[in-house]
Amino acid sequence: MKKIALTTIFYILAFFYANNVFAQIVVVQGIVKNNAGQPVPGLTVSIFNPSYGRSNSVITDERGFYIFYNIPVAQGVSYIEVYWGSGIIYRSPIQINGPLDWNIDIR
């Protein structure tokens, strides 16, 4: 009987922990500009977190603006990358602890 009670408590705690972890999602957004300070449309921006093995990508709009919805708060370092065609033209480590405004200057 004691074993069943402990097992039940374990599953209840695991359920609440999982809901808390997966419920922590944020928005990451910013503007990509060139070396003249002009916005750059049509670039692919990606966020990759090695801990999750997950990558999300979006394309900048006519104002160079990008936005990611539903990005999980990450343990450790994530990376933000900008692609032009198939080549990476920008890569930087970022820490996602909450909503993040990350403007990118392409040099």
Side-chain angles (χ1 to χ4, degrees):
M1 186 64 143
K2 189 175 185 179
K3 185 176 180 182
I4 293 172
L6 289 175
T7 303
T8 303
I9 290 171
F10 171 79
Y11 282 116
I12 290 171
L13 291 174
F15 173 78
F16 285 114
Y17 176 76
N19 280 341
N20 188 32
V21 169
F22 292 114
Q24 296 177 359
I25 55 174
V26 297
V27 172
V28 177
Q29 64 184 10
I31 297 174
V32 179
K33 295 182 180 180
N34 62 18
N35 57 358
Q38 299 298 316
V40 183
L43 296 178
T44 301
V45 180
S46 295
I47 293 179
F48 174 69
N49 183 297
S51 300
Y52 296 134
R54 178 179 170 187
S55 179
N56 295 7
S57 297
V58 296
I59 297 176
T60 58
D61 67 11
E62 66 278 353
R63 300 166 296 149
F65 181 76
Y66 69 90
I67 188 165
F68 292 92
Y69 297 100
N70 300 327
I71 298 296
V73 170
Q75 298 293 327
V77 175
S78 295
Y79 294 91
I80 191 162
E81 300 172 333
V82 179
Y83 295 85
W84 184 49
S86 60
I88 295 176
I89 58 175
Y90 176 89
R91 184 173 199 227
S92 180
I94 59 173
Q95 187 69 44
I96 303 175
N97 296 324
L100 182 63
D101 288 324
W102 190 269
N103 294 323
I104 299 170
D105 293 321
I106 303 298
R107 302 285 173 190

